[in-house]
Amino acid sequence: MMQNMDVEDQPAQAEPTKMNTLDEPVLSTLWRDISRVGYKLFHVLIPRGYSEKALRDWDLWGPLVFCLALALVLGGDLAVQVFIIVALGSIVITLNSILLGGKVSFFQSVCLVGYCIFPILLAAIICTFVNIPLGSKSWAIFFNIGFAAGGFVWSVWASVGFLSAAVPDHRRLLAIYPVILFYAALSWLVLISYKQTGGRGTIGGSSSSGNSTTPTNGTLSNGL
Amino acid sequence: MNSHNIDVDTNPAYGQTESVSISSFKHPVAVVFHCLFKFLAIILWIISVFLQSSIILTIIFIILAACDFWVVKNVSGRLLVGLRWWNEVKDDGTNEWVFESLENMTTIVPLEKYVFWGAQFFVAILWGVFAILSILSISSWVPIVISLILNLANLSGYINSRAWQPIT
């Protein structure tokens, strides 16, 4: 019963079996929510014909987790910008779609925008790992550009499918334009995080590379 | 879980003993978790007044607020007061807020009900006070706004659920 992902069935199930779901063990509630997030993520990232139903059962946990993860991966200075861009940007995109006559609910649209951040999060993680061995080489930036661009294209492709279906035809481009801006801004943050990680590498990396010519100071800086 | 209910229904001492002990709670773990994340967030806020602002603190606040929201919405609401609320999106795109309450409210322990509502109101008011006190320090707006929004969302959801109680 709990593995049934069909949204329309769940409220109907809740009525006659109310005591069951009201008394269910906490772990099964937790697992149900987690598997819903995974299910939605899979369907949003690899769009198929029936993914619209997956999004009807919206939740904001996915967007929250991805936003936090992106903020952590990109590092302190950029993390605040990530929060602000994601929060304001998803609200603006949603308002824009609704005002253009789209038939999406507010939370559904915020949910969609948030889930489509995942490719950019992937790109940020890959870039961070790629920059560790390649940090000091000047051509490493092309890897960053490649991954950031790939994440951008994937995010836009995943989100445009849903949003353009909800908005009237002649307004499709108007609805898509802020989405492109939004993911471009996030991909740009991923790209410029290269300067932070490429320049300093890991915390011990910069001090050791800076002191490679003065081995007598190496022990002092490694104590940091 | 079912046998636990039977014990409670035949034991009238829940919530009615004069001294509060662990046995006067039907769901002690739920009560603990209901208060735990709120308590941690308040402690962290008091500590953060003496520390410089950092992004890690903000992230910890957000995580605590999110955990508290999940616990209150999914666990302590239905276990402690027998109420539930959620949002459904229909096929034509409109959304509807659905509220549910337990038919048989006599299984609800009064003490747990007081703990639930008391903690929820107290924390909402406290974060409102923090918001007013910190209105000048912009770096603390993110945790305050998020904690306020999540707590008020749960509060309003459960107040609306309560209005749907069948009149006994």
Side-chain angles (χ1 to χ4, degrees), chain A residues 14-36:
Chain A
E15 263 308 314
T17 59
K18 203 173 4 171
M19 278 316 291
N20 282 354
T21 50
L22 277 174
D23 270 351
E24 70 179 356
V26 176
L27 273 183
S28 73
T29 310
L30 190 57
W31 177 246
R32 187 156 48 98
D33 279 343
I34 291 179
S35 53
R36 268 199 218 155

Side-chain angles (χ1 to χ4, degrees), chain A:
Chain A
M1 175 179 75
M2 286 307 149
Q3 279 82 36
N4 185 5
M5 290 299 174
D6 200 336
V7 177
E8 282 85 39
D9 276 352
Q10 273 182 344
Q13 274 184 356
E15 263 308 314
T17 59
K18 203 173 4 171
M19 278 316 291
N20 282 354
T21 50
L22 277 174
D23 270 351
E24 70 179 356
V26 176
L27 273 183
S28 73
T29 310
L30 190 57
W31 177 246
R32 187 156 48 98
D33 279 343
I34 291 179
S35 53
R36 268 199 218 155
V37 170
Y39 177 81
K40 262 201 284 294
L41 183 64
F42 180 70
H43 277 268
V44 161
L45 290 189
I46 310 178
R48 301 150 188 238
Y50 51 89
S51 354
E52 272 197 33
K53 222 156 66 100
L55 260 191
R56 195 153 315 139
D57 177 25
W58 60 268
D59 75 85
L60 293 182
W61 295 113
L64 177 73
V65 166
F66 300 148
C67 182
L68 279 182
L70 190 60
L72 276 177
V73 166
L74 289 185
D77 291 339
L78 296 177
V80 177
Q81 300 181 36
V82 166
F83 281 128
I84 296 178
I85 290 180
V86 169
L88 291 183
S90 40
I91 293 180
V92 165
I93 290 178
T94 304
L95 281 181
N96 185 50
S97 304
I98 292 179
L99 289 175
L100 283 178
K103 288 192 318 302
V104 280
S105 81
F106 177 81
F107 290 109
Q108 216 179 345
S109 177
V110 172
C111 168
L112 166 71
V113 170
Y115 268 94
C116 291
I117 293 179
F118 186 73
I120 297 186
L121 172 66
L122 270 184
I125 294 177
I126 295 178
C127 284
T128 310
F129 281 120
V130 162
N131 283 339
I132 291 178
L134 293 180
S136 50
K137 300 189 175 36
S138 58
W139 49 265
I141 193 167
F142 291 112
F143 274 106
N144 283 51
I145 293 179
F147 287 122
F152 167 69
V153 166
W154 191 0
S155 290
V156 171
W157 175 59
S159 59
V160 154
F162 288 98
L163 277 181
S164 59
V167 172
D169 274 346
H170 56 281
R171 301 223 171 116
R172 200 161 285 188
L173 212 53
L174 278 177
I176 295 176
Y177 167 69
V179 174
I180 294 182
L181 266 189
F182 176 76
Y183 290 118
L186 286 181
S187 308
W188 177 252
L189 287 185
V190 170
L191 193 58
I192 63 176
S193 74
Y194 163 79
K195 283 210 188 133
Q196 290 187 1
T197 56
R200 60 158 209 246
T202 57
I203 295 181
S206 62
S207 50
S208 60
S209 64
N211 287 317
S212 58
T213 55
T214 58
T216 54
N217 288 338
T219 53
L220 280 176
S221 60
N222 284 337
L224 284 172

Side-chain angles (χ1 to χ4, degrees), chain A residues 11 22-23 29 33 56 58, chain B residues 5 70 78 87-89 91 101:
Chain A
L22 277 174
D23 270 351
T29 310
D33 279 343
R56 195 153 315 139
W58 60 268
Chain B
N5 280 343
W70 188 87
R78 55 181 174 87
N87 175 283
E88 271 171 33
V89 178
D91 287 344
S101 64

